[in-house]
Amino acid sequence: MNKFIAKRNNVIFYCSNDIGVKPILSKLNENINFYQGAEIEDTIVGKAAACLYVLARIKFVYAHTLSEAAKKYLEQNNIAFQCDELVKEIRNRTDTDMCPLEKSVIHIEDPVAAKIALENTIKELMNLKKAKSK
């Protein structure tokens, strides 16, 4: 089962098993209109993903797990959604804190600013990972 599925008129036009915001971000960087009007099914949707969905002008999000911050952001931006489970926040992989991507956009309302913050955070995380593996 794919972790991320994008449909338009009930036809799947893109799917990915990448985790986090990677499937959204990579395509947005290629073409800002790639997901316009699409319906997305995603495993975990936090505010980080929600910001990118708003930027991509998606019309519907189905999330297996949705954070309260993402719910509020989608509602404020008139994007219809459905979820199986609503959680207080998206946690990091070790469950010791809030997800770093979620944290980087928690106080940002502008989707363009959110995308920049996310890309900077991803860069920092990748650099940390590289430093640890040396």
Side-chain angles (χ1 to χ4, degrees):
M1 189 187 102
N2 289 101
K3 290 181 172 74
F4 179 92
I5 298 167
K7 293 181 192 170
R8 213 177 267 117
N9 305 320
N10 279 330
V11 177
I12 294 174
F13 67 91
Y14 181 73
C15 42
S16 171
N17 279 315
D18 280 335
I19 56 168
V21 296
K22 202 173 174 189
I24 321 154
L25 205 48
S26 62
K27 289 294 175 192
L28 272 183
N29 284 331
E30 286 172 26
N31 174 2
I32 195 75
N33 298 315
F34 185 81
Y35 291 115
Q36 190 174 345
E39 294 164 19
I40 301 295
E41 181 179 336
D42 202 348
T43 314
I44 298 171
V45 176
K47 188 173 177 193
C51 290
L52 295 174
Y53 291 151
V54 168
L55 187 62
R57 297 193 302 277
I58 278 161
K59 75 172 187 190
F60 179 81
V61 176
Y62 170 67
H64 298 276
T65 303
L66 185 76
S67 76
E68 287 176 4
K71 175 184 185 280
K72 188 177 165 202
Y73 194 75
L74 292 171
E75 286 170 345
Q76 286 169 340
N77 289 280
N78 301 313
I79 293 180
F81 63 89
Q82 203 179 339
C83 69
D84 296 330
E85 183 187 13
L86 184 65
V87 296
K88 186 177 176 297
E89 63 184 23
I90 304 302
R91 306 288 291 167
N92 65 12
R93 287 192 177 76
T94 53
D95 198 22
T96 51
D97 195 3
M98 185 190 281
C99 162
L101 296 182
E102 193 83 341
K103 214 183 244 186
S104 73
V105 297
I106 205 73
H107 300 293
I108 298 176
E109 293 305 314
D110 174 48
V112 176
K115 181 177 180 284
I116 294 164
L118 287 169
E119 288 175 325
N120 289 336
T121 303
I122 290 166
K123 251 183 228 140
E124 283 169 29
L125 293 170
M126 294 310 230
N127 290 337
L128 278 176
K129 204 180 208 177
K130 276 181 201 149
K132 278 182 184 167
S133 65
K134 281 182 183 167

